[in-house]
Amino acid sequence: MLTNVELENFKCLERVSLSLSPITLLIGLNGSGKSSILHSLVFLKKFILQPQTFNPENLGDLTPYDYVNLGNFDEIVYLHKGEKPIIIAVEFKGQNSQSKLRLTLNKPPKHSQSTITLSEPVKLSLSVSFNSFPYQGNQLVHGNVNYDRLTHTIQWNGLRISVTSGSKASELSSKLNEYHQLLSGLFLFHLRQTFKTVTYLPTPTIDCTKPIITENEAVGYLSQPIPLADDLTEKLSHYLDSMIGEEAEFRFYSGMVRPTLKLRGIARFALSTEGLGSNRLAFMLMTLLIPHVKTLLIEEPETHLHPKVIYDMGKVIANIIKSEGKQVIITTHSEHFLFSLLSCVGEGLLTPEDLAIYSFKKEGSRSQITKLKVTEDGQVEEGLPEFFESDWEIFEKYLKSLGKS
């Protein structure tokens, strides 16, 4: 799991640090920096897993179809001050390890730096420097550690750890590279992801180096004739039925797959012909259920959905997180979604530690972020002024309009 993210000079975020939970909600007005948290994590994943794609003039081209294209270094750095470094640091906790990855990017020809700090099962910090993009991973540093009372030599190239000597090199390497596995399991689900065609040529493998799971990959994985895929489809159908009264089904036509929704077991509709709400909801849950996905970054899951469905969706996401051991980081403007998750805390499905809520506010060119404390009974100690103040202002205007009429 990702346990903490620190950013400096990334877009409108001058200096922030967020501790992360299994469910982390980012709330606040548009343009306050919420999506920048998600983009920074995708940015780090791209550097580690696809370093060859880092173009000096287009560092921020993070997803296909230019959905997330942050531009060049000067456009990404805070206040567009190219002399400042961009820093992204993430802490990871795996089953057998704890580590921190810190990327310090400077505008070439200044040197940049990639640092790995290990705290479990061994303690060590290693850094490499480079001054050009794309970085080839050709800078090496070494260090010695004691593991299981034996000396092992660790090699770091800024992207991945190698254990080059020691009787338990393979075992130690697997543990130390859990951060790499967790980054491989980090995906973005953005606002434009929907099923767009009626049938798909299935792609049964998931490319974990990329930031999103495509329609073909999602359909291909869940339509495989294997027990795991059948189990995931059954879960997806159960969750969709509980929210919108429809079940998921994958039908084969001459080697092509048609993802459909089945209404109360009677009529079938191609997912691409459904409204954007049901379409995107099915795709999002499908993505979250795929085993490769460990952490899903979701932009505004409430988009195009009815308030009751939004509330039910919060319960479903909480269930998936607890039962499947997943993590989500979500931007939202929906009080229905927020109250659903808070009610999960009050009902005992989630603990206060399972849910982190951060409120974003723009002050001038800088984002201010406040962590809101969730109590045992599912309340927020500081209240939710962004929601309630806006609701009251709108209601007050409505009452005044009634008075005039």
Side-chain angles (χ1 to χ4, degrees), residues 14-34:
E14 183 181 22
R15 185 176 288 106
V16 301
S17 177
L18 279 67
S19 60
L20 305 175
S21 295
I23 301 176
T24 301
L25 292 187
L26 312 179
I27 64 173
L29 295 175
N30 296 94
S32 58
K34 302 184 302 298

Side-chain angles (χ1 to χ4, degrees), residues 47-58:
F47 174 80
I48 295 295
L49 299 183
Q50 294 184 310
Q52 72 281 0
T53 66
F54 259 54
N55 183 310
E57 294 304 316
N58 205 15

